[in-house]
């Protein structure tokens, strides 16, 4: 293998590690987002159930008020009963009292139903609260480990970038320029192996004579993709 290729290969290995680290780094905010979304979902469910319970309690309050009004009304009717002069008035008032008492029974039934509703809604809310708290706890642990991973990755990346600089300094300028240009177009394997007699980068067939030269250690530049084609441990004609 030619000297410049060996140096470029070191650089390419280093770049591959850098690429991997960068993609790991990029995945972290995504994962954080997923956790936040999960928590938001739990919060939304929790506030929905809380709103439901609050409205049941408001209803109960209103029912209790209605009942008190009705009881007061009955007391008022009864007190007026004694002062009524005619039978007709008396019978009419008795009817009103009976009606108001029936209303009370109805309100009592509704109050009882609302109590059951409140029990159910409280249980649902309590479950949602527990689930939310569990999710928050789980996420906090996961996020902490993600932050730790982020710090590790960042310091590894910084170290790798220093080594890359040192490795790149050893590559001669002309080859470095070709390599960088090729990478900037998205080509990640500028130095590639010959595989089944073809360029490992673009799979173009390489003339047999050239393939023989590659095996003998002479570098071939692929006319199609610009890769430096070399003989590697997994190379074959
Ligand atoms: Zn090629």
């Amino acid at each position: 293998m030619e000297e410049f290729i060996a140096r470029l290969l070191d650089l390419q290995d280093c770049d591959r590690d850098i690429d991997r680290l960068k993609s790991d780094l990029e995945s972290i905010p995504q994962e954080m987002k997923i956790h936040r979304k999960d928590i938001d979902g739990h919060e939304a469910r929790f506030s929905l159930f809380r709103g439901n319970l609050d409205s049941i309690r408001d209803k109960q309050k209103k029912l209790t008020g209605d009942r008190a009004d009705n009881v007061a009304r009955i007391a008022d009717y009864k007190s007026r009963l004694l002062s009524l002069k005619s039978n007709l008035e008396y019978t009419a008032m008795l009817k009103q009292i009976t009606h108001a008492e029936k209303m009370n029974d109805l309100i009592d039934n509704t109050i009882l139903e609302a109590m059951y509703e409140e029990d159910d809604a409280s249980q649902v809310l309590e479950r949602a609260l527990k689930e939310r708290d569990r999710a928050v706890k789980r996420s906090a642990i996961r996020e902490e480990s993600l932050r730790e991973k982020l710090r590790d990755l960042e310091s590894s990346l910084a170290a790798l970038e220093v080594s890359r600089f040192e490795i790149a300094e050893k590559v001669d300028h002309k080859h470095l320029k070709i390599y960088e240009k090729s990478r900037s177009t998205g080509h990640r394997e500028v130095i590639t192996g010959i595989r089944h007699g073809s360029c490992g980068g673009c799979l173009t067939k390489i003339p047999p004579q050239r393939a023989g030269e590659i095996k003998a250690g002479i570098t071939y530049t692929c006319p199609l993709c610009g890769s430096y084609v070399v003989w590697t441990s997994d190379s074959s004609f």
Side-chain angles (χ1 to χ4, degrees):
M1 184 184 291
E2 291 175 78
E3 177 68 17
F4 82 94
I5 286 293
R7 289 177 192 252
L8 275 179
L9 261 180
D10 285 344
L11 189 64
Q12 183 165 277
D13 286 345
C14 187
D15 279 336
R16 189 176 299 129
D17 292 342
I18 289 176
D19 287 346
R20 202 175 297 136
L21 273 183
K22 281 185 175 166
S23 105
D24 284 352
L25 270 169
E26 277 166 20
S27 73
I28 289 179
Q30 281 299 332
E31 209 185 318
M32 292 253 197
K33 226 190 219 168
I34 291 169
H35 286 293
R36 300 256 157 81
K37 219 172 162 188
D38 182 45
I39 298 292
D40 288 348
H42 281 286
E43 292 287 6
R45 256 196 308 282
F46 178 71
S47 48
L48 181 79
F49 296 147
R50 156 153 282 163
N52 186 33
L53 182 60
D54 286 347
S55 73
I56 292 170
R57 286 183 175 156
D58 287 345
K59 187 168 78 182
Q60 282 177 323
K61 223 178 270 173
K62 193 184 170 296
L63 284 168
T64 312
D66 288 350
R67 196 185 190 282
D69 289 348
N70 216 34
V71 167
R73 202 171 298 129
I74 292 168
D76 176 51
Y77 290 161
K78 280 183 177 167
S79 74
R80 278 157 56 191
L81 205 56
L82 301 169
S83 57
L84 294 176
K85 303 277 183 276
S86 74
N87 264 347
L88 209 65
E89 281 176 320
Y90 194 85
T91 313
M93 186 56 87
L94 274 183
K95 257 188 187 168
Q96 270 188 301
I97 292 172
T98 312
H99 175 72
E101 279 170 349
K102 265 187 195 156
M103 279 298 291
N104 252 8
D105 288 345
L106 279 178
I107 293 174
D108 282 345
N109 282 340
T110 319
I111 286 176
L112 199 65
E113 276 168 20
M115 275 164 72
Y116 286 127
E117 270 182 63
E118 189 199 7
D119 277 352
D120 289 345
S122 290
Q123 280 171 22
V124 168
L125 183 67
E126 209 174 303
R127 264 201 304 276
L129 176 68
K130 274 184 190 158
E131 277 167 22
R132 185 198 68 177
D133 289 350
R134 261 200 302 272
V136 166
K137 209 167 155 189
R138 213 171 35 226
S139 265
I141 294 170
R142 187 64 194 135
E143 280 192 24
E144 181 47 42
S145 88
L146 283 174
R147 273 193 289 275
E148 204 176 303
K149 190 176 164 193
L150 189 72
R151 285 192 292 272
D152 288 350
L153 287 174
E154 278 169 348
S155 72
S156 304
L157 184 62
L160 267 181
E161 272 165 353
V162 171
S163 351
R164 192 202 191 269
F165 181 79
E166 288 164 2
I167 295 167
E169 267 193 325
K170 292 180 195 144
V171 181
D172 96 27
H173 189 69
K174 186 183 93 188
H175 294 300
L176 184 63
K177 218 170 145 186
I178 294 169
Y179 174 85
E180 300 282 30
K181 193 175 170 209
S182 188
R183 262 187 75 82
S184 72
T185 62
H187 197 22
R188 285 290 171 265
E189 204 180 69
V190 186
I191 300 107
T192 186
I194 174 166
R195 282 172 204 132
H196 308 295
S198 300
C199 165
C202 67
L203 305 179
T204 302
K205 202 80 190 152
I206 294 170
Q209 193 198 337
R210 285 273 177 257
E213 286 171 6
I214 292 168
K215 192 172 186 190
I218 296 167
T219 307
Y220 170 76
T221 305
C222 174
L224 212 78
C225 70
S227 297
Y228 292 117
V229 186
V230 298
W231 191 266
T232 56
S233 57
D234 59 349
S235 284
S236 59
F237 287 119

